[in-house]
Amino acid sequence: MYVGQFKANQIVDRLEAAAKARQATLARFRARPASDDPIVLARQAARRAVIQAREVRGNERETARLAAEAQREAEALAAREREAAEVARQAAEKIERQAALAAEQKAARDARFAARKARARR
C-alpha cells in the first residue's frame, strides 16, 4: 500500500463530507418558510408581544422603585424634622430651667442681702 495514495483518499473523503454538509445546510435554509408565511408572522407577533410585556413590567418596576425611593426620602425628611423639633424643644426647656434657676438664685441673693441689711439696721 502506497502512503501517498492513502492520504489522497482521506482528503477526498473529507472534501466529500464537507460538500455534503454544505448541501445539507443549504437544503435546511431553502426549507425555511418565507417571511410572509402565517407561521412566521404569528411567531413574530408573539415575540413582539413578549417584548412589549417585558417593557411594561420594566416600566412598572421602575415606577415602583421611584415611588419607594420617594417614600423613603419623605420618611427621612419627616424624621429629620422630628429630630430638629425635639432639639429645639430641649433647647427651650434648658433655657427655661436656666432662667428659673437664675430667678431662684437672685431671689436667694436678694433675701440674704435684705437679711444682712436688716441685721445692720438693728
Side-chain angles (χ1 to χ4, degrees):
M1 181 159 99
Y2 183 66
V3 175
Q5 184 181 11
F6 181 69
K7 287 186 180 179
N9 286 341
Q10 283 183 340
I11 291 173
V12 170
D13 291 341
R14 283 190 301 213
L15 289 175
E16 287 176 3
K20 287 180 184 177
R22 279 194 300 275
Q23 289 297 324
T25 303
L26 186 59
R28 277 198 318 270
F29 179 74
R30 287 183 181 151
R32 281 184 16 192
S35 61
D36 61 346
D37 188 12
I39 295 173
V40 173
L41 294 176
R43 193 177 306 141
Q44 288 175 348
R47 286 182 186 146
R48 278 194 297 270
V50 167
I51 290 170
Q52 289 175 350
R54 187 178 300 137
E55 288 175 357
V56 167
R57 286 192 311 269
N59 290 339
E60 288 173 354
R61 275 194 303 270
E62 182 67 16
T63 302
R65 184 188 64 79
L66 291 175
E69 185 177 321
Q71 178 68 24
R72 282 193 302 272
E73 289 176 4
E75 289 172 358
L77 179 62
R80 285 193 300 269
E81 288 176 356
R82 282 192 304 270
E83 190 175 304
E86 179 65 21
V87 167
R89 184 187 62 77
Q90 289 176 352
E93 287 178 358
K94 183 177 179 181
I95 290 172
E96 261 184 51
R97 284 193 307 269
Q98 288 175 345
L101 180 63
E104 288 175 14
Q105 289 173 344
K106 184 177 184 321
R109 188 174 54 245
D110 289 347
R112 287 193 309 270
F113 181 74
R116 195 170 46 239
K117 286 285 192 179
R119 282 191 306 260
R121 287 188 194 149
R122 283 193 211 168

